[in-house]
Amino acid sequence: MTCRAIRSLKGRVLLVLGAAITLCWIAALGVLLAYTLRGQSDRWDSKLQAIGTKILTSIPSNAKLKPSFDQGLQLRDENMPRDVSLTFQVWTNRKNLLVRASDSPHKPLLPSFQDGFTSSTVNGERWRVFSVSDSTGEVSVQVAVRHSVIDQEIRHKIFAMMGLTTLLLTVAGLLMWFAVTRSLRPLTTLQAAVRSRRKFDLTPLPVAQLPTEIRPLVESFNHLLDQLDQAMQGERRFIGDAAHELRTPLSALQA
C-alpha cells in the first residue's frame, strides 16, 4: 500500500480492517487447530476404548483359552470393510497370542501390557494403542490404530477448516470494503460538486445527505463561503459607489 493510500481516510480504515481480519484469521486457525487435534485424539481414544472393552467382556470367564492361528472365516466381497485402519490382539499371560486381526503384527502392540492409552512403534510403524486387562490380569486385549490414519484425518479437517475460515473472513472483508466505500461516497459526491462549480459561485454546499461526522466540516466551509461572499459584495458596493462619485467630476471635465 502506497503512502498516498495510507494518508487517505479510506486507506487508513481499510488498513486497520485488513489488519484486524488478519489477526482474527490467525487466532481462528490457532483455536481450530488446537480443537481439531484434541477432538480427533479424543474421538479415536473413545473408539479404541469401546472396542477393547467390548472384546474383553465378550470372552467367557470360564472359557479354556488356547492360542489358535487357523485361517479365520472369510467374508463376502460386498461385506468387506472399507476401514482397515483398526486392529486388535488378545493375549493370555502376556506372552501367548490367543487371537489377532489379520493385519495385526505378531508382536505385542504394547509390550509393557500397561492398561490405558499410549503410542507405540512396532516394525517401524507408529500405533495409537489402548490396552485393557481383566481383573486377574491373565487376559489382555490391545486395540490399535495407525498414527498415519489419525494424522491424515487431522490434516483433512484442518485444511477444510482453513478453507472455510478463509472464505468466511474473505467475505467479511469484502463486505467491510463495500461498507467503507459506500460510507465515504458522500465525500466523493461533495468533491465532484465543488469541482463542477463555476467561478465566483459561492452558494452554500448541501449538507442534508451528509453523515454526521462530515457535516460540521462542510458547515464551517459554508460559513467561510458566506463570509467571502459578503466581502465580495462589499467590494462591489465600494467599487459602485466610487464609480458614482467619480462620474460627476468626469462629466464636468468632459464638458
Side-chain angles (χ1 to χ4, degrees):
M1 186 174 293
T2 61
C3 295
R4 181 180 180 182
I6 295 178
R7 290 196 206 99
S8 68
L9 179 61
K10 181 178 179 181
R12 291 180 180 179
V13 173
L14 291 178
L15 180 62
V16 172
L17 291 178
I21 290 176
T22 302
L23 292 177
C24 290
W25 182 76
I26 295 174
L29 288 184
V31 172
L32 289 175
L33 179 61
Y35 177 79
T36 302
L37 291 174
R38 184 176 182 84
Q40 285 297 103
S41 299
D42 292 344
R43 189 177 73 86
W44 276 107
D45 286 351
S46 299
K47 184 184 294 187
L48 294 177
Q49 185 177 18
I51 295 174
T53 53
K54 286 184 180 296
I55 293 176
L56 182 63
T57 55
S58 65
I59 300 175
S61 60
N62 57 354
K64 295 181 179 180
L65 304 177
K66 295 182 180 180
S68 176
F69 299 101
D70 294 337
Q71 184 177 3
L73 298 176
Q74 300 298 313
L75 295 176
R76 296 178 181 177
D77 293 339
E78 62 270 17
N79 294 331
M80 291 297 293
R82 296 181 179 179
D83 184 7
V84 294
S85 57
L86 288 171
T87 189
F88 74 95
Q89 297 173 342
V90 179
W91 294 82
T92 58
N93 299 321
R94 298 190 175 187
K95 59 182 180 178
N96 299 320
L97 180 58
L98 181 66
V99 65
R100 67 180 182 89
S102 59
D103 59 343
S104 175
H106 292 82
K107 297 180 180 180
L109 293 167
L110 184 61
S112 65
F113 287 91
Q114 184 178 358
D115 289 352
F117 297 97
T118 188
S119 295
S120 177
T121 302
V122 180
N123 297 332
E125 190 171 15
R126 295 183 69 244
W127 297 81
R128 179 64 174 174
V129 185
F130 172 72
S131 179
V132 60
S133 304
D134 66 339
S135 58
T136 63
E138 181 181 357
V139 181
S140 298
V141 176
Q142 296 183 356
V143 186
V145 62
R146 291 178 174 85
H147 257 292
S148 59
V149 175
I150 301 177
D151 296 341
Q152 185 178 7
E153 282 197 1
I154 290 176
R155 284 194 298 268
H156 287 170
K157 286 201 171 184
I158 289 176
F159 288 148
M161 290 182 178
M162 285 179 60
L164 180 60
T165 304
T166 303
L167 177 62
L168 292 177
L169 291 179
T170 301
V171 173
L174 292 175
L175 292 176
M176 291 181 181
W177 175 82
F178 176 77
V180 170
T181 303
R182 188 175 181 84
S183 299
L184 296 179
R185 187 174 297 175
L187 290 178
T188 306
T189 304
L190 185 64
Q191 179 185 4
V194 173
R195 286 182 177 275
S196 61
R197 287 197 166 199
R198 297 179 180 179
K199 292 182 178 180
F200 305 110
D201 184 2
L202 302 178
T203 56
L205 297 171
V207 296
Q209 303 297 329
L210 293 177
T212 306
E213 294 80 7
I214 304 175
R215 185 175 298 176
L217 177 63
V218 178
E219 288 177 348
S220 300
F221 185 70
N222 286 338
H223 179 67
L224 180 62
L225 290 178
D226 182 63
Q227 290 181 337
L228 183 60
D229 184 51
Q230 292 178 7
M232 293 184 65
Q233 290 180 5
E235 185 178 354
R236 291 192 186 99
R237 286 194 298 269
F238 173 76
I239 294 175
D241 293 341
H244 179 72
E245 293 295 333
L246 291 175
R247 188 175 297 121
T248 302
L250 289 175
S251 299
L253 288 175
Q254 288 178 354

